[in-house]
Amino acid sequence: MQAVKTAVTVSPTVRTLPSGIPFVPRLNLAARSPSLGHHAGHSTRSDVPARWAGGVSTSPVSGLTSKTFLTASPTAIHTQRFLHTSAVARDAPQVPDFSPYKASSTASNRALSYFMVGSLGVLSASLAKSTVTEFLVTMSASADVLALAKVEVELASIPEGKNVIIKWRGKPVFIRHRTQEEVEEARSVDWKSLRDPQSDEDRTKQPEWLVMLGVCTHLGCVPIGESGDFGGWFCPCHGSHYDISGRIRKGPAPLNLEVPAYDINEAEGKMVIG
């Protein structure tokens, strides 16, 4: 019958004291190993584990192999070590020498600084002006709106004693080429006694040309020309009568017909409204 050998690892049987020193009965830890040639006068090498710390043993009866390993905690007392140097300690690091880069003249360096500051200021102001201008342009009226802001009228196309109605900013505008008799009639009225006192001279730039908005000051209706009790304009909606100067003379309207801003270019024979 042939014996079978089996390797079994068992737990360590060596106990350690609270100080970390292994406790083994009948073991003299102070004993020294035999002195060798290159270890004369020294104890056992520290890199070689002691025999009791572990090993392999074979039982002569059963033939079992036992491997035992023990790791003991260090027994040395650790002390804190401080770095020591004999180098001279400086209070501050050494500042590099920038004398080769120093300006040769203080005045020239100051002039360059003023030039750079002034140039930056001018550039900043120009940029700010451009930004504000572009922002205001976006808020201005478009080209089609500006085209309707002003209207030109050929004065030669309006005969004397006739009315012309044009559209300006969505509103009707009455243009009357008055005769001399109509001018004298409008200026002979005692305008201070009217509901909305205003002289004919204040309402016209030239006596023969009368320009007004064709909107009744009562409720915004459009009066009819060459009608009414005073030979001017009449609003059939509520019976407001205006004279030949566009002043309210009778009816519920509280004010005279409004006179818009206009200019007369006699050289070109044109009237510009707006």
Side-chain angles (χ1 to χ4, degrees):
M1 181 177 179
Q2 185 178 2
V4 179
K5 297 181 180 181
T6 304
V8 178
T9 302
V10 297
S11 59
T13 57
V14 178
R15 294 184 299 110
T16 58
L17 298 176
S19 62
I21 300 176
F23 174 74
V24 181
R26 301 178 182 179
L27 179 62
N28 186 8
L29 297 179
R32 295 178 178 273
S33 62
S35 299
L36 299 177
H38 60 283
H39 293 291
H42 298 282
S43 60
T44 310
R45 292 173 51 182
S46 59
D47 58 344
V48 178
R51 178 178 292 274
W52 54 266
V56 180
S57 61
T58 303
S59 175
V61 179
S62 61
L64 298 178
T65 302
S66 174
K67 295 182 180 181
T68 304
F69 299 95
L70 175 63
T71 301
S73 59
T75 57
I77 300 177
H78 296 275
T79 58
Q80 187 175 5
R81 299 181 62 184
F82 297 93
L83 180 63
H84 172 72
T85 177
S86 58
V88 179
R90 297 185 176 88
D91 296 337
Q94 185 178 0
V95 179
D97 184 14
F98 294 102
S99 56
Y101 304 97
K102 188 177 180 180
S104 57
S105 175
T106 307
S108 62
N109 192 22
R110 184 182 300 110
L112 178 61
S113 300
Y114 289 161
F115 174 76
M116 294 300 295
V117 172
S119 301
L120 183 61
V122 172
L123 182 61
S124 301
S126 176
L127 181 61
K129 177 180 178 298
S130 177
T131 303
V132 173
T133 303
E134 292 296 331
F135 177 73
L136 294 179
V137 167
T138 59
M139 300 179 62
S140 61
S142 57
D144 55 345
V145 175
L146 293 177
L148 298 176
K150 294 183 179 181
V151 177
E152 292 184 357
V153 180
E154 293 285 346
L155 297 180
S157 62
I158 305 176
E160 187 178 9
K162 296 296 181 180
N163 293 331
V164 172
I165 302 176
I166 64 173
K167 187 177 181 181
W168 174 69
R169 295 183 179 178
K171 299 178 182 180
V173 177
F174 296 159
I175 301 177
R176 174 76 178 181
H177 191 179
R178 298 187 300 182
T179 62
Q180 186 62 30
E181 292 79 8
E182 294 175 343
V183 173
E184 294 176 356
E185 179 185 354
R187 299 191 173 185
S188 63
V189 177
D190 184 13
W191 58 272
K192 296 181 180 180
S193 62
L194 299 179
R195 183 181 303 174
D196 185 13
Q198 192 176 18
S199 64
D200 185 72
E201 290 82 353
D202 295 339
R203 294 178 58 82
T204 58
K205 293 185 177 182
Q206 292 185 8
E208 65 274 17
W209 294 106
L210 177 65
V211 182
M212 306 175 297
L213 291 180
V215 180
C216 180
T217 58
H218 181 220
L219 293 177
C221 303
V222 179
I224 300 174
E226 298 181 357
S227 60
D229 297 344
F230 299 90
W233 288 264
F234 170 69
C235 182
C237 298
H238 301 90
S240 296
H241 297 259
Y242 301 89
D243 62 8
I244 197 62
S245 184
R247 296 171 294 196
I248 182 65
R249 302 292 295 273
K250 182 180 178 181
L255 302 173
N256 302 331
L257 293 178
E258 182 181 356
V259 177
Y262 69 94
D263 291 322
I264 297 177
N265 191 345
E266 297 181 356
E268 298 180 0
K270 294 182 180 180
M271 178 184 294
V272 181
I273 301 175

